Amino acid sequence: MTGAVVDRAHARRIAVAAQLLDGSATDLDAAVRRLNCLQIDPTNVVARNQYLVPWSRLGAYDRALLDDACWGRRSLFEYWAHAASLVLTEDFRLHRALMRAYKKGGRFLSTTRAWVTDNRKLRDHVLREVRRGGPVPTNQFTDLSERSYRSGGWNDERNVGRMLDALWTEGRIMVSYRDGLRRFWDLSERVLPEWTPREPMSEAAVWRRRSDLALRALGIGTAKHIQNHFMRWLKSGVPKALQRLEREGVAIPVEVRDDGAALSGRWWVHRDYASMLENAPEVSRTTLLSPFDNLICDRERTENLFDLRYRIEIYVPKDKRVYGYFAMPVLHGDRLVGMVDVRMDRESRTLHALSVHAQPEAPGEAGPGIRAALEDLARFCDADRVVVPRRLPAAWRVALRS
């Protein structure tokens, strides 16, 4: 099957199946293992992203299961992936590569690292407090910095937070548990379970495993897509690792075409989806995606594969928003066919669809699936009802008002 040619719709079906958005997901642990990571985001307009991503695949599940995986069974811990995320404890040896890179003085968080060097007193204070009284909440540390943190961004003057992030990236401390947004810190050796794999991996093995997992989660992608997915901070060894995976038959080279023209870049399909190169069944499922969902977190890939230029509008002035503050893309089959700006009113236990937008040529048959997805999201959020706006796309109006 080397050198297979697939059209863009075919490639999308592989991507959707790889992300378990085709209806094949039945188990939370297995779903998280396939995804490799769940981005953590404080936005709680509907539910926080780490809970929404599994919902898009499983439907209304018991979110206490995810909490138990993090703070009970410890099969997940917080660390960097393509952003701050929940990652698999079984992959700890991979994430140690970033911890080592940070210690060696690589580019990652270089501004913070230089600042840490100038604030030894604050660093020692944090480690001393954690060692003596962990788990320690963030607000319990005293700002003993001698030079305030400044980068021109929103982290300016957040000295304790920056020091915690630095020690976390270095692997000295970890989040022991959360109470809402409040993080409690402890020494890493007291957070990780005894069974955590700690055997050293060679650099080549790290790059191979990291690239294998990223391609498996994506299903299909280019070297750039694989570099930007999962462990975005470790990129340089991906091209060489892909060459190795291709020799081993793990990464199958393909050409992706759209209307007869080849999409840019060299593409690979993971061998787990080799059978889909000849037969990629159409997907009929409809769901809503968090703005930070793993399928669409790489905006360039989203535009390339799904023909949708998506940008989250949380920080966009209200009068300049196109889709809305928390617009959730609608995945219908293998297409992103619209947007629903959603907000949960917890006091009235109402899920509000503030606006609904259909993409050009969006199929009317998606309407019932969108309504069902909204109702399932309401159950997941403990809402008693769903309210839709008066203005609705004509093709979906009847279904969404039912």
Side-chain angles (χ1 to χ4, degrees):
M1 271 175 279
T2 301
V5 178
V6 298
D7 63 27
R8 189 163 65 159
H10 194 146
R12 287 198 301 264
R13 290 196 288 274
I14 295 173
V16 168
Q19 281 286 301
L20 300 175
L21 286 161
D22 58 350
S24 60
T26 58
D27 175 79
L28 177 64
D29 285 349
V32 176
R33 185 170 289 110
R34 172 70 64 82
L35 298 174
N36 301 319
C37 60
L38 302 174
Q39 182 176 339
I40 298 169
D41 190 84
T43 308
N44 197 23
V45 177
V46 180
R48 292 195 172 92
N49 181 71
Q50 60 266 35
Y51 298 108
L52 278 177
V53 170
W55 169 81
S56 293
R57 290 147 179 84
L58 296 164
Y61 70 99
D62 181 0
R63 67 181 74 186
L65 294 172
L66 185 60
D67 292 338
D68 180 60
C70 297
W71 321 126
R73 293 183 289 121
R74 302 283 185 185
S75 59
L76 300 172
F77 68 97
E78 293 193 20
Y79 200 60
W80 296 101
H82 57 271
S85 302
L86 297 174
V87 298
L88 293 161
T89 304
E90 66 190 52
D91 286 334
F92 176 72
R93 293 190 302 166
L94 280 181
H95 296 289
R96 285 185 70 179
L98 179 56
M99 297 174 188
R100 290 195 299 269
Y102 180 74
K103 289 178 183 178
K104 289 179 180 178
R107 292 175 60 191
F108 184 64
L109 289 183
S110 57
T111 302
T112 302
R113 189 170 46 252
W115 173 82
V116 168
T117 302
D118 294 340
N119 284 279
R120 188 78 187 185
K121 188 175 181 181
L122 175 57
R123 174 187 167 90
D124 291 346
H125 162 68
V126 169
L127 288 174
R128 183 171 58 251
E129 290 298 305
V130 169
R131 190 177 295 113
R132 182 174 60 190
V136 181
T138 300
N139 63 355
Q140 190 170 309
F141 298 102
T142 303
D143 184 358
L144 299 180
S145 59
E146 298 174 69
R147 178 170 70 85
S148 287
Y149 184 86
R150 291 187 180 279
S151 65
W154 72 291
N155 280 314
D156 283 359
E157 306 291 340
R158 298 178 68 244
N159 300 318
V160 169
R162 286 283 81 187
M163 185 60 72
L164 291 169
D165 283 348
L167 291 170
W168 172 53
T169 305
E170 188 180 328
R172 296 292 300 276
I173 62 176
M174 286 184 177
V175 178
S176 178
Y177 67 94
R178 281 180 178 259
D179 181 7
L181 290 178
R182 196 180 187 203
R183 294 182 293 180
F184 288 75
W185 300 89
D186 208 340
L187 297 175
S188 297
E189 57 264 33
R190 296 203 293 235
V191 173
L192 294 168
E194 290 185 6
W195 56 263
T196 303
R198 295 178 171 86
E199 301 85 359
M201 292 179 73
S202 68
E203 186 174 351
V206 167
W207 286 117
R208 184 199 178 281
R209 177 69 173 164
R210 173 250 190 271
S211 302
D212 181 14
L213 289 176
L215 180 57
R216 184 168 181 262
L218 291 170
I220 185 169
T222 67
K224 187 174 182 181
H225 299 155
I226 294 163
Q227 286 175 321
N228 287 336
H229 193 73
F230 181 35
M231 298 176 70
R232 186 174 291 175
W233 312 107
L234 295 175
K235 294 184 176 183
S236 61
V238 168
K240 189 173 182 179
L242 275 171
Q243 292 175 8
R244 176 180 175 183
L245 291 172
E246 184 176 337
R247 291 194 301 270
E248 295 173 357
V250 176
I252 302 170
V254 297
E255 183 177 325
V256 181
R257 302 185 73 86
D258 184 45
D259 290 333
L263 269 61
S264 62
R266 192 178 187 201
W267 294 70
W268 286 269
V269 167
H270 194 280
R271 69 178 171 194
D272 284 4
Y273 316 107
S275 62
M276 295 188 72
L277 288 174
E278 293 184 357
N279 180 30
E282 291 192 11
V283 183
S284 59
R285 186 170 180 265
T286 304
T287 191
L288 305 178
L289 302 177
S290 163
F292 308 101
D293 192 274
N294 297 44
L295 181 71
I296 59 172
C297 62
D298 184 339
R299 306 305 192 201
E300 184 178 325
R301 180 175 184 264
T302 301
E303 191 167 352
N304 204 212
L305 260 188
F306 293 90
D307 199 25
L308 176 69
R309 187 180 188 278
Y310 178 65
R311 300 293 185 270
I312 191 167
E313 297 179 343
I314 289 175
Y315 304 109
V316 175
K318 187 175 182 179
D319 62 338
K320 294 184 179 180
R321 292 174 191 154
V322 177
Y323 297 118
Y325 183 90
F326 199 75
M328 300 182 72
V330 178
L331 179 67
H332 175 68
D334 61 56
R335 294 174 57 194
L336 293 173
V337 299
M339 300 281 179
V340 183
D341 185 24
V342 184
R343 178 176 63 84
M344 177 64 192
D345 186 334
R346 292 174 176 82
E347 185 174 344
S348 66
R349 296 171 65 95
T350 302
L351 183 70
H352 291 272
L354 302 175
S355 66
V356 180
H357 300 266
Q359 292 297 103
E361 301 181 5
E365 65 190 36
I370 298 171
R371 178 70 199 193
L374 284 169
E375 290 173 351
D376 191 79
L377 182 58
R379 284 191 292 274
F380 182 62
C381 296
D382 293 324
D384 295 326
R385 62 180 184 143
V386 175
V387 174
V388 299
R390 293 184 62 184
R391 295 183 60 184
L392 292 166
W396 300 340
R397 189 175 298 139
V398 173
L400 290 180
R401 286 180 178 167
S402 63

